[in-house]
Amino acid sequence: MVKTKTPILKFDNLNVIYNEGQPNQVHALKNVSGEIHEGEFISIIGPSGCGKSTLLHTLDGLLKPTSGTISINGSEVHGPDENRAMVFQDFALMPWQTVYDNVAFGLRLAGKKDKNIRDKVLHYIKMVGLEGFEHKYPHQLSGGMKQRVGIARGFAVEPKVLLMDEPFSAIDEQTREIMQEEVLKIMLNEKKTVIFITHSIDEAVFLSSKIILMSVRPGQIVDEIKIDIPYPRTLETKALPKYQEYKQTIWDHLKGEVRRQYKKGEA
């Protein structure tokens, strides 16, 4: 995963204030800035309520920042577009549609004709290991299979940046570890740029080329840690001393932020 000099995604001084000016105003993000380069796998980690998902939804265009700017390849953006796609933690599949139709949804929404999207949809269904399940419905799938559909749908629109909001939180631990390996294979094969939200330190270290650490609310970026472990990674990677050192460093940060939450009475 090699950086380019020009960031593919840049965000400057993002502030998000919910219910601004009201007694229940919440300052979710404060002066958040960063750069994401092509081919990076970035995980964002921090204490609960620190604004991780708010940041991700703002970068996707689903949420308008109170102030600040977001740009893709140097061009400022103001809402959702084909350059970014989201994979949600709760699968967000349409139960009345088949695997094929769920994966094709974003392409159809973009105005693509069925005759032009078939090969692409089948490619990504095969890529996530669901070949032969094209005509199954979500209720016929396991949790891990449903999340694979969500990942295939995100890839199918071929975004410049794929945003993943705790995509494995709703599946069991064994499936989660397998999915981690599978996602890394896909990312490397497809050469995609990913921003990933997780509460799991282990997951963040395993997947990421860089980890962004956030503070308690109002959420701010307080550090960035480059994970200097070469790809491809396997589950055996987790036994490396360097891997354990990264986990301890991030845990020390997270523990300190959680203590700050308790002192503020927000935990």
Side-chain angles (χ1 to χ4, degrees):
M1 294 186 178
V2 180
K3 278 190 180 183
T4 58
K5 291 183 179 180
T6 303
I8 190 170
L9 176 66
K10 184 176 181 179
F11 43 102
D12 289 308
N13 293 313
L14 292 181
N15 283 271
V16 174
I17 301 174
Y18 295 112
N19 305 314
E20 187 176 14
Q22 303 300 315
N24 59 341
Q25 173 179 300
V26 174
H27 200 160
L29 296 178
K30 182 179 181 181
N31 301 329
V32 173
S33 299
E35 295 182 353
I36 310 298
H37 292 80
E38 187 173 6
E40 285 190 313
F41 195 118
I42 307 296
S43 286
I44 302 174
I45 198 164
S48 295
C50 73
K52 297 185 296 294
S53 292
T54 294
L55 176 56
L56 200 72
H57 292 179
T58 303
L59 295 178
D60 189 49
L62 297 173
L63 181 65
K64 185 178 179 180
T66 307
S67 62
T69 61
I70 302 168
S71 60
I72 298 261
N73 288 333
S75 298
E76 190 171 341
V77 295
H78 301 281
D81 59 38
E82 69 280 0
N83 291 311
R84 294 154 293 165
M86 180 79 79
V87 177
F88 297 93
Q89 60 180 298
D90 59 356
F91 313 134
L93 302 182
M94 290 165 284
W96 61 90
Q97 294 199 339
T98 63
V99 167
Y100 181 98
D101 290 328
N102 269 287
V103 175
F105 177 76
L107 293 167
R108 289 170 175 161
L109 197 64
K112 307 294 184 183
K113 302 299 182 183
D114 281 352
K115 64 180 181 180
N116 298 325
I117 67 176
R118 183 177 183 278
D119 289 345
K120 186 177 293 188
V121 170
L122 293 178
H123 166 74
Y124 287 108
I125 288 175
K126 183 177 181 180
M127 180 188 73
V128 298
L130 289 177
E131 191 174 20
F133 289 85
E134 295 86 352
H135 304 297
K136 299 294 185 181
Y137 288 88
H139 75 271
Q140 298 173 299
L141 307 177
S142 68
M145 294 169 78
K146 290 176 185 177
Q147 196 54 277
R148 288 170 187 261
V149 177
I151 292 169
R153 182 174 58 192
F155 273 111
V157 296
E158 298 184 337
K160 295 186 183 299
V161 181
L162 186 66
L163 302 112
M164 306 180 78
D165 190 2
E166 296 189 66
F168 307 144
S169 63
I171 55 181
D172 64 83
E173 190 64 29
Q174 294 89 344
T175 304
R176 185 171 184 153
E177 291 210 341
I178 293 169
M179 288 294 294
Q180 289 170 9
E181 278 196 314
E182 290 301 312
V183 163
L184 273 189
K185 289 177 186 176
I186 294 167
M187 300 306 156
L188 292 170
N189 290 337
E190 296 289 318
K191 297 179 173 62
K192 293 297 183 183
T193 305
V194 180
I195 305 176
F196 188 93
I197 299 292
T198 180
H199 279 96
S200 169
I201 296 173
D202 182 76
E203 189 166 77
V205 175
F206 182 71
L207 293 172
S208 308
S209 56
K210 185 171 71 179
I211 296 175
I212 291 174
L213 301 179
M214 292 188 66
S215 70
V216 295
R217 192 172 65 234
Q220 296 177 286
I221 294 175
V222 295
D223 202 1
E224 295 182 357
I225 299 175
K226 181 181 178 182
I227 305 300
D228 191 20
I229 299 174
Y231 293 98
R233 299 171 188 167
T234 65
L235 294 180
E236 286 70 30
T237 301
K238 299 185 177 187
L240 295 174
K242 184 182 287 188
Y243 186 94
Q244 299 303 320
E245 290 172 11
Y246 283 127
K247 284 182 62 177
Q248 186 62 50
T249 297
I250 296 165
W251 168 239
D252 289 343
H253 159 78
L254 199 57
K255 183 168 55 177
E257 291 298 320
V258 171
R259 284 174 175 163
R260 285 182 61 201
Q261 275 186 324
Y262 272 104
K263 288 180 180 179
K264 293 172 67 176
E266 295 179 357

